[in-house]
Structures are given as structure tokens and as C-alpha cells.
Amino acid sequence: MSVISAPSAFSANEIRLEDFLDLERFPIHDLTSDKRAALVAQCHQNLEKCGCAHVPNFIIPTAIKKMKEEAFRIMDGARRAHAWVNPYLTKEDTSLPSDHPKRFFEERTSSFINSDLLEADSILRMIYDSDVMVHFVSDCLNVGPIYRWAEPLGRNPYSVMKGGDYFPWHFDGNDFTVSILVSEAEEGGDFEYAPDIRSANNECFDDVGAVLHGAREKVRVLSLQTGDLQIFKGRYSMHRVTVTQGSSPRIIALPTYVTNPYLVNRPHHAEAFYGRSMDIHHERNLERVDNLTD
Ligand SMILES: O=C(O)CCC(=O)C(=O)O
Ligand SMILES: [Fe+2]
């Protein structure tokens, strides 16, 4: 009998959803279930209304515990950023007026445990590689098909914020992100976002600038708790995580799905967020279908 080498992703029959979900409560595998339909409808509605869906206690505590333990084991490999970034993660452009949002720089001090560091039996990889999850997220977003992302560093990282860290206002390079809170900060670490503050055809620099300078009318705050799931459209909704306080880090898993499986982050975005760019970032540094800055 020939030996089959290990697959690069978990295949469907190797993933036991029960390892991370309570299927009684969240039967996302059962396409005929009323509970699933109601959950999808609610997420869909919230995404339409404010670009964000929140499902409390989605991942079971035993799985969260394993994810937290994994994050702590591999945290030494996390790259701590000390970078000044604007919301678009672009470089300083002195040809623009000094009050332009592209010239608004804040210091990012959070870290990412890049996806390539995840352990072979990582629960986060399992969640990410589960087709049932991809289908569920696609239904919630009412967008499909969606794919796992080709981005080798940012496809499903953990973001780590230690006491005093800050993740500044920004737009994401990808269409939407799923987050799962693995460990809460003692204080702070709130997710703040300005729903749909720009659209595919309009950067809305005035509104963006107002939020950067402290206007709160368009800002929503989400206090996530351990085990919560969030689905978020980060390309149009500017967002940040407020300064964390205390000795326990805020750790959040970020399994990220996309509509174009081929695209990856631009080299400057990979360098700003994940600490380095790789050949793939340069080879696939292609035009985006929209004209938004990223
Ligand atoms: O930590 C979070 O909740 C959000 C992280 C984020 O916005 C990002 O990784 O782009
Ligand atoms: Fe983001």
C-alpha cells in the first residue's frame, strides 16, 4: 500500500466540527435546520445594516482554551510592530495637504502571529479549512463563492495586543474578516468601526478625516468576549482596536475569506502588518477591481 503524504489543508472528513462547535446550538452543518436559517438571517441583516455581525459564544470553551494555549506556545514568533501607519497603509505623500486622511499616521504596536506559524493540528487551521464554515460565512455575507485566501502570512493569523498596545484606524486589503476572540484584555481592546464609511466608488475623505480627528457619530463599539464570532466587512468600514491594558494579552483569531482566491496583500501591506513580504506578494501585486487605495 502506498503511503499518502499529509494534505496541506485538512480535508472535510478529517475535520470534526464538534471539536470547536456545539452543533445543537449552532447546527451550521445542517442546511435544513431552522436554527441555521435564523442565525444566517440575523447575521445577514446585521451585515447589511452596519457591516458587522456578532455571534456570542460561537466557539466552545475547550476549543478556545486550545487556541489560547497554541497562541501562547508560538507567541515568541510574533512580530511586534512599531510602525507608523495611515488608514490605507500607504507611505507618506507630502504632495497632499497636511490634513488629508492619507497623511494621518498613528503608531501600531500590536503583533501578528502569522498564519505560517500555526501548528499542524491547530484548531484555528481546522476552523479555517472547514468547508462548512466557508459555506456558513458565505451565506451570512450573502456573497459567494468565497474562498480561503492565498495570502500565506495573513490568511488566518492571531493578532496579539499586550498591555498598552494599540491597533490604529485602517481599512483592510481583503473584503471581509471573521474574528474569534481567544483571550480578552483586562481593560480596553474594544473594536471600534465606522460602518461603510467609504464605498467602492467613493473614498469619502471628509467623513474618514472627521472620524480620524475624533468625531464619534459614525463610530460603533463592539466589546467582544472570549468565544464570540464576528463577521466584518473591513474594506469599506474603517476600524481600530483601542489601547489594551493589563497583564493578559488580547488575542484574536482572524480567519480571512476572499472573493478572489488568487490575490494576496500588496508588498507594502504585508510588510506593514506581517513584518515581511515574500515572492508571492511581488508576483501578484496586481490592480484591484475597485479603485480604492490599499
Ligand atoms: O483585532 C481585531 O479585532 C481587528 C484586527 C484587524 O482589524 C486586522 O487585523 O486587520
Ligand atoms: Fe482590520
Side-chain angles (χ1 to χ4, degrees):
M1 206 173 74
S2 64
V3 178
I4 298 164
S5 63
S8 60
F10 292 95
S11 63
N13 64 3
E14 293 172 298
I15 296 176
R16 289 203 324 231
L17 297 170
E18 303 86 336
D19 287 348
F20 53 89
L21 286 176
D22 174 352
L23 292 176
E24 286 286 315
R25 202 161 161 215
F26 298 114
I28 64 167
H29 61 306
D30 179 0
L31 302 184
T32 64
S33 149
D34 290 343
K35 272 191 201 162
R36 183 187 192 277
L39 181 61
V40 165
Q42 199 188 3
C43 289
H44 185 201
Q45 227 173 39
N46 289 338
L47 276 156
E48 283 289 298
K49 206 171 69 193
C50 58
C52 181
H54 174 207
V55 185
N57 289 310
F58 185 71
I59 300 291
I60 55 176
T62 47
I64 290 292
K65 181 168 176 281
K66 283 187 190 159
M67 289 164 81
K68 187 170 172 176
E69 286 164 358
E70 175 188 42
F72 270 98
R73 274 195 302 275
I74 59 181
M75 199 179 284
D76 283 351
R79 186 178 171 282
R80 188 174 154 78
H82 269 290
W84 288 83
V85 291
N86 69 12
Y88 310 93
L89 308 178
T90 51
K91 293 204 166 78
E92 170 68 306
D93 179 355
T94 50
S95 68
L96 295 168
S98 61
D99 61 350
H100 193 284
K102 287 191 184 173
R103 298 196 63 191
F104 186 91
F105 282 81
E106 297 184 284
E107 191 178 20
R108 184 169 88 83
T109 48
S110 65
S111 324
F112 275 117
I113 301 176
N114 294 344
S115 314
D116 60 334
L117 296 178
L118 296 186
E119 294 174 347
D121 60 353
S122 164
I123 296 268
L124 175 52
R125 274 190 63 209
M126 235 185 255
I127 295 171
Y128 191 62
D129 288 344
S130 152
D131 288 331
V132 172
M133 272 298 290
V134 178
H135 191 179
F136 171 67
V137 172
S138 166
D139 281 356
C140 291
L141 287 159
N142 203 21
V143 175
I146 61 170
Y147 300 92
R148 286 174 277 268
W149 197 13
E151 166 57 57
L153 305 176
R155 62 205 316 254
N156 55 349
Y158 289 106
S159 170
V160 179
M161 292 172 68
K162 297 190 172 159
D165 281 351
Y166 174 57
F167 199 136
W169 287 114
H170 68 281
F171 293 99
D172 291 338
N174 50 285
D175 300 323
F176 24 77
T177 292
V178 175
S179 359
I180 299 160
L181 193 68
V182 169
S183 170
E184 279 161 52
E186 271 151 48
E187 261 184 80
D190 286 332
F191 183 82
E192 294 191 346
Y193 64 108
D196 290 323
I197 196 147
R198 71 174 181 178
S199 65
N201 316 316
N202 192 345
E203 291 277 6
C204 304
F205 286 128
D206 287 350
D207 289 344
V208 169
V211 170
L212 295 175
H213 288 98
R216 298 296 288 177
E217 303 88 68
K218 291 197 158 73
V219 176
R220 287 170 173 257
V221 183
L222 187 63
S223 280
L224 289 172
Q225 297 193 330
T226 301
D228 291 4
L229 175 86
Q230 181 195 6
I231 305 175
F232 178 66
K233 292 190 185 172
R235 190 159 177 75
Y236 303 128
S237 302
M238 187 166 69
H239 52 287
R240 70 169 175 179
V241 185
T242 61
V243 177
T244 45
Q245 273 146 35
S247 54
S248 60
R250 176 187 188 271
I251 304 173
I252 194 159
L254 300 165
T256 300
Y257 303 97
V258 292
T259 49
N260 182 336
Y262 187 80
L263 277 186
V264 293
N265 275 316
R266 291 194 185 282
H268 66 82
H269 191 133
E271 283 155 20
F273 266 23
Y274 307 103
R276 68 193 158 107
S277 56
M278 300 162 71
D279 287 348
I280 192 172
H281 298 112
H282 295 272
E283 287 157 13
R284 299 190 187 183
N285 191 7
L286 308 167
E287 288 308 313
R288 302 303 197 230
V289 284
D290 59 31
N291 289 315
L292 295 173
T293 315
D294 77 354

